Amino acid sequence: MGQKINPLGFRLGTTQNHHSFWFAQPKNYSEGLQEDKKIRNCIKNYIQKNRKKGSNRKMESDSSSEVITHIEIQKEIDTIHVIIHIGFPNLLKKKGAIEELEKDLQKEVNSVNQRLNIAIEKVKEPYRQPNILAEYIAFQLKNRVSFRKAMKKAIELTKKADIKGIKIQIAGRLAGKEI
């Protein structure tokens, strides 16, 4: 039986970077890690909550509109920089959305002596990200599109994004049959 390891551990330093950039003394490390988790959860909850409010729109790009690929957190002595990498930043472009998110984060983190800066970066090639493709396929299945068409369309989108390979697995009750 082989040892299991997080795939990010293999890729750190070669093809991917760390998601958090900060330093802490060993006794304060767990507090910093919990703070990172709170920040990430707060951002994801905010986007989920506001996605439900604005789900009346029916657009092709809205299918994977607010999918976060990853969140970078950079901590300094007096500031916390949060960079949100997002596929299609429709929701966070609204007036006051970033300020509202910043207020929510400030309440969640409870850091009086640290400022919070939030930046949003649009992913250059969104269909290269597996999170966005998975959300796209899920959206297509919710809209009663044939699962074969949804898979073929996802493969086509990845080919346009110049990806060498893709593997898609869909399971569950599809087309009235157990698959």
Side-chain angles (χ1 to χ4, degrees), residues 140-158:
Q140 294 293 324
L141 292 175
K142 284 180 189 172
N143 284 345
R144 312 279 296 158
V145 174
S146 166
F147 70 94
R148 287 183 184 90
K149 275 187 181 179
M151 289 186 348
K152 286 179 184 176
K153 181 70 174 173
I155 291 170
E156 184 182 312
L157 287 171
T158 55

Side-chain angles (χ1 to χ4, degrees), residues 49-136:
K49 181 179 71 173
N50 288 343
R51 183 190 299 176
K52 290 177 184 173
K53 287 181 185 176
S55 65
N56 300 341
R57 303 179 314 269
K58 295 288 180 193
M59 291 173 28
E60 178 69 23
S61 66
D62 191 43
S63 61
S64 49
S65 60
E66 291 89 26
V67 178
I68 298 173
T69 57
H70 69 279
I71 300 169
E72 282 183 22
I73 300 172
Q74 301 172 355
K75 294 181 186 176
E76 296 174 5
I77 295 171
D78 58 344
T79 58
I80 299 175
H81 299 286
V82 179
I83 303 169
I84 304 170
H85 296 270
I86 196 163
F88 305 97
N90 300 335
L91 177 70
L92 294 175
K93 282 187 176 179
K94 292 180 184 175
K95 253 188 186 174
I98 295 178
E99 289 80 17
E100 184 181 342
L101 177 60
E102 213 166 293
K103 286 179 187 174
D104 287 352
L105 279 175
Q106 201 72 37
K107 287 178 192 173
E108 189 73 31
V109 175
N110 293 331
S111 60
V112 178
N113 55 353
Q114 288 184 323
R115 287 185 333 194
L116 195 64
N117 292 338
I118 298 177
I120 295 172
E121 282 190 21
K122 184 180 183 298
V123 177
K124 291 178 184 166
E125 294 178 344
Y127 291 112
R128 289 183 75 99
Q129 304 295 325
N131 308 17
I132 293 174
L133 281 172
E135 192 75 25
Y136 174 79

Side-chain angles (χ1 to χ4, degrees), residues 22 28-38 75:
W22 49 270
N28 299 332
Y29 182 78
S30 63
E31 294 169 10
L33 211 54
Q34 289 173 352
E35 189 177 68
D36 281 5
K37 186 142 182 82
K38 281 183 186 178
K75 294 181 186 176

